[in-house]
Amino acid sequence: MAQKQSMIEMKSAGLPTMESGLTVNTVKKPSYLAGLARTLSRFLFVIAGFALTGTMLLTVADVILRAFKRPILGTYELVGLLGAVVIAFALPQTSRLKGHVMMDFLTGKLPETIQFVLHAITRLLALALFAILGWNLWLMANDFHRVGEVTPTLQLPLYPIAYLVALCCFVECLVLFVDMLEKRDMEP
């Protein structure tokens, strides 16, 4: 009776049971790297949401105040900086959830082995690209900090944004690496 009750609870939770042809032991626990990638990408995604909301509120306030001949000073700069935050901080979570456009109408017809190889190659190329981008952005942030580069109107330093975007590139590398490992684990 207790076993039947636990089977009903597992079914209602969406977990595999003996009846569905899978054993309870086949439920795979996410790896440490997958958990870290999920946590970091979610955290960055929340920050991207706040930045997007701030951009919207700032733009609306500036438009309304312009009607009264009182525009907000530096709106253009702030929207540009917040735009960089929105794009960079949303990238890892979007990649993790596979939210980008995928053109798989051709590759979907290939044998699974070739699909796996193509998936691995594209992930490796993307991983290399974001590692290079992150490294160069980090170096650029160092240069911005060294020379004291600031925005023209508000005199805001640019190096923190460059460091944060570089960090997001490295988190994207982690997400791509985990995606590559998970795809390998799904193969027979």
Side-chain angles (χ1 to χ4, degrees), residues 106-118:
L106 178 64
T107 58
K109 295 177 177 144
L110 296 172
E112 285 188 29
T113 307
I114 295 175
Q115 287 182 28
F116 172 71
V117 169
L118 289 175

Side-chain angles (χ1 to χ4, degrees), residues 93-112:
Q93 178 74 348
T94 305
S95 292
R96 196 180 73 75
L97 296 177
K98 311 227 182 328
H100 298 294
V101 175
M102 289 183 62
M103 304 301 279
D104 63 349
F105 60 89
L106 178 64
T107 58
K109 295 177 177 144
L110 296 172
E112 285 188 29

Side-chain angles (χ1 to χ4, degrees), residues 94-167:
T94 305
S95 292
R96 196 180 73 75
L97 296 177
K98 311 227 182 328
H100 298 294
V101 175
M102 289 183 62
M103 304 301 279
D104 63 349
F105 60 89
L106 178 64
T107 58
K109 295 177 177 144
L110 296 172
E112 285 188 29
T113 307
I114 295 175
Q115 287 182 28
F116 172 71
V117 169
L118 289 175
H119 183 268
I121 289 171
T122 57
R123 292 308 171 270
L124 284 172
L125 289 173
L127 208 149
L129 171 73
F130 280 103
I132 291 168
L133 282 172
W135 177 252
N136 283 306
L137 280 165
W138 195 269
L139 295 176
M140 186 173 73
N142 286 339
D143 289 342
F144 283 168
H145 186 67
R146 184 175 41 79
V147 298
E149 188 76 26
V150 294
T151 60
T153 306
L154 297 176
Q155 300 295 303
L156 297 173
L158 292 175
Y159 72 89
I161 300 295
Y163 279 130
L164 291 172
V165 173
L167 179 70

